[in-house]
Amino acid sequence: MSRAFLVVLDSVGCGGAPDATAFGDEGANTLGHIAAACAAGRAEEGRSGPLRLPNLDRLGLGAAIRLASGVATPGLLAEPEGLWGTATEISQGKDTPSGHWELAGLPVPWDWTYFPKTDPCFPPDLVDLVCRTAGTDGILGNRHASGTLIIEEEAEAHIRTGWPICYTSVDSVFQIAAHEEHFGLDRLLDLCAALAPALHEMRVGRVIARPFTGDGPWERTANRRDYAIAPPAPTLCDAVSGAGRHVHAIGKIGDIFSMRGIDSVAKGKDVRLMEHLAASVRDMPDGSLTFANFVEFDAVHGHRRDVSGYARHLEWFDACLPDIIGSLRADDLMVFTADHGNDPTWRGSDHTRERVPVVAAGASGAAGQIGFVDVAATICDHLGMPVIGPGRSIL
């Protein structure tokens, strides 16, 4: 029986979204601009020369970028050997839940709540709720910020006062950073879990716990936890699990889907997640779905506008693929895609509205322009199951 692997390279967009202007992102292109920067010698920290992604490119990555946005793709010129296309999102967001839910066959049926880009940005009643729940006299942050930068800016005050660091972004998200020892990891997780129902009622998509350690420099840990709104209708995970098949989540997938339809979870930093993906290829049973998210493209490099680091991470990921793809069984399908963009050459520090590449090992052909929902339909088709959601299979 066939198996399926859906691998999300978090934020690895390829430009060309038809509604990018409405999001302030006309011209944003994560992969296209990284490739251009590398070719021009502007991404030389820890690497050098044109962007080298021979394995993804062989599956059709360069072709997908050109189809999505019409830009040149220096270094990514292979003739596609896999199944390839580019996907457009219909949900009105450029955030993690919107992208992942729609890839799983469920476009978001409502408008998310976003906090204003003011300082402070949170309403007083929400601040009061956080303080009462945390048992503190105040909060730090209370603004739009990059997660790594705000920790650098507020960590000393956080340790001195014991106040949680609360911040947001252009996404529908409420994030709390706290030191694992000084504030306590369990206390942080309990705080976020307690606040999540009220924020979900406001249609804020996620409450995210962002634990960190150190005494300067500070380091975010792998104990991040996302408390997301549960999907309001069945998704690909529910369909596969409901058919008696095993659904294995790698990275933050379990959090994004509130563990609905998910049987097992593996977490860690991206290097560890690659080991988990290799183990899944080796060990997952017939008929199973492995759904993975590699978050560090977005969290470590995209939001920090680190072009060299983003390019390095892409090249690291690609270099791991020969063993992974080479271990697939003859009837397996492994799809690589993304949930949104985060162009490190773009203004600000937030996600960008883009199309995303869809390339796959285990099938071949040009799928053309497709929808996010077609990814779920394709996986259902491959697994011999009824299609979930409004999509169509591209097999």
Side-chain angles (χ1 to χ4, degrees):
M1 187 183 294
S2 302
R3 304 182 302 171
F5 301 83
L6 176 52
V7 182
V8 178
L9 284 66
D10 201 304
S11 85
V12 182
C14 56
D19 57 357
T21 300
F23 292 81
D25 293 327
E26 184 177 12
N29 191 326
T30 301
L31 281 167
H33 288 160
I34 291 172
C38 290
R42 299 194 304 271
E44 298 290 303
E45 296 176 19
R47 61 163 309 281
S48 186
L51 187 62
R52 297 178 182 88
L53 307 174
N55 302 295
L56 288 170
D57 193 27
R58 194 176 300 117
L59 294 177
L61 184 65
I65 300 167
R66 294 189 296 274
L67 176 64
S69 51
V71 302
T73 55
L76 303 174
L77 300 170
E79 185 68 24
E81 298 176 5
L83 179 67
W84 66 276
T86 182
T88 302
E89 184 176 10
I90 60 174
S91 300
Q92 292 303 300
K94 49 181 180 178
D95 49 65
T96 294
S98 297
H100 283 79
W101 288 5
E102 195 165 321
L103 288 170
L106 178 63
V108 177
W110 56 60
D111 291 332
W112 297 108
T113 292
Y114 303 96
F115 294 107
K117 205 161 191 177
T118 56
D119 189 356
C121 68
F122 300 128
D125 57 342
L126 177 56
V127 174
D128 289 343
L129 176 62
V130 175
C131 292
R132 290 197 308 272
T133 308
T136 61
D137 295 328
I139 65 172
L140 299 168
N142 202 346
R143 60 184 182 269
H144 284 237
S146 161
T148 50
L149 290 176
I150 200 168
I151 289 171
E152 292 178 5
E153 294 164 354
E154 301 286 4
E156 290 184 0
H158 164 69
I159 291 170
R160 184 176 66 252
T161 64
W163 294 3
I165 304 169
C166 303
Y167 62 103
T168 189
S169 69
V170 295
D171 300 323
S172 181
V173 64
F174 185 82
Q175 305 192 69
I176 305 179
H179 198 282
E180 287 195 358
E181 287 82 34
H182 293 280
F183 190 87
L185 176 60
D186 289 342
R187 183 184 175 199
L188 171 62
L189 298 180
D190 289 345
L191 172 61
C192 290
L195 293 171
L199 283 148
H200 292 168
E201 190 172 336
M202 295 168 58
R203 290 286 186 252
V204 175
R206 288 178 295 162
V207 178
I208 305 179
R210 293 286 198 173
F212 65 95
T213 58
D215 55 5
W218 318 99
E219 182 179 359
R220 293 201 297 194
T221 75
N223 292 319
R224 163 186 172 152
R225 177 75 185 272
D226 292 41
Y227 299 84
I229 293 179
T235 70
L236 175 65
C237 301
D238 298 307
V240 176
S241 181
R245 318 281 190 87
H246 190 91
V247 178
H248 181 53
I250 295 176
K252 62 180 183 177
I253 296 298
D255 296 333
I256 295 167
F257 290 90
S258 299
M259 288 303 295
R260 272 249 313 267
I262 292 170
D263 300 298
S264 58
V265 176
K267 288 193 170 186
K269 294 189 175 182
D270 278 7
V271 171
R272 180 64 175 147
L273 298 185
M274 188 62 75
E275 296 172 0
H276 289 312
L277 181 59
S280 297
V281 172
R282 183 183 65 242
D283 299 333
M284 281 297 113
D286 289 348
S288 64
L289 168 67
T290 296
F291 197 165
N293 171 283
F294 286 80
V295 73
E296 290 178 25
F297 298 102
D298 182 58
V300 177
H301 306 296
H303 287 298
R304 292 299 300 268
R305 296 302 186 245
D306 178 4
V307 180
S308 294
Y310 208 127
R312 286 197 310 273
H313 206 59
L314 284 165
E315 291 172 339
W316 162 78
F317 185 93
D318 189 83
C320 295
L321 293 185
D323 288 341
I324 299 286
I325 294 174
S327 298
L328 292 172
R329 301 174 188 169
D331 56 355
D332 286 343
L333 179 71
M334 180 171 283
V335 179
F336 300 94
T337 187
D339 52 342
H340 51 72
N342 197 344
D343 186 345
T345 72
W346 205 242
R347 55 184 172 268
S349 60
D350 296 309
H351 296 163
T352 42
R353 180 73 165 185
E354 302 179 39
R355 288 186 169 117
V356 301
V358 178
V359 299
S364 62
Q369 298 278 10
I370 65 172
F372 275 41
V373 289
D374 296 333
V375 173
T378 300
I379 289 174
C380 287
D381 184 17
H382 175 74
L383 293 176
M385 297 172 44
V387 167
I388 183 93
R392 61 176 181 84
S393 173
I394 59 176
L395 292 177

